[in-house]
């Protein structure tokens, strides 16, 4: 069965896709928590960071490089942004298909809630 994000990648569920390459794509979060809130999502499903293996290393690195590029394009690299991966219940993971949240455009509190 496809994940929600696979259905978005396959254009079965509409979403605002702001970036795409062979390995990943990026969408506007449907419930933004900051002026910029983008999700960077691998096309090959890694369920969550807590289950990632050595085989996922290059893909995980690629997601972070893409997150940095998207942040620069959005003009939030200078002011600052956060890249977040929620892994598991206590972290608030709701979609079991790993994704990197890019959050920026406002000061972000630390520590996070
Ligand atoms: P997480 O809670 O870390 O698993 O993040 C899942 C994120 O996906 C949340 O920030 C949701 O707002 C977002 N989300 C859920 N459904 C959609 C959708 N159809 N399009 C875009 N973002 C979505």
């Amino acid at each position: 069965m496809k994940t929600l994000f696979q259905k978005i990648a396959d254009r079965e569920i509409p979403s605002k896709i702001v970036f795409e390459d062979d390995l990943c794509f990026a969408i506007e979060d449907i419930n933004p928590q900051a002026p910029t809130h983008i999700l960077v999502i691998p096309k090959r499903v890694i369920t969550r960071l807590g289950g990632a293996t050595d085989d996922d290393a290059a893909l995980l690195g690629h997601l972070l490089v893409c997150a940095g590029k998207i942040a620069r394009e959005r003009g939030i690299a200078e002011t600052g942004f956060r890249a977040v991966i929620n892994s598991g219940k206590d972290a608030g993971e709701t979609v079991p298909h790993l994704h990197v949240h890019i959050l920026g455009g406002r000061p972000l509190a630390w520590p996070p809630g």
Side-chain angles (χ1 to χ4, degrees), residues 4-5 27-31 39 86 92-95 99 101:
L4 169 67
F5 293 150
I27 62 174
E28 302 272 6
D29 197 290
I30 203 168
N31 182 23
L39 306 176
N86 295 320
E93 174 200 305
T94 57
V95 180
H99 46 282
H101 295 257

Side-chain angles (χ1 to χ4, degrees), residues 2-17:
K2 287 184 184 179
T3 69
L4 169 67
F5 293 150
Q6 282 176 303
K7 289 178 186 167
I8 288 174
D10 291 343
R11 275 64 175 179
E12 291 169 14
I13 293 177
S15 184
K16 190 161 178 206
I17 297 179

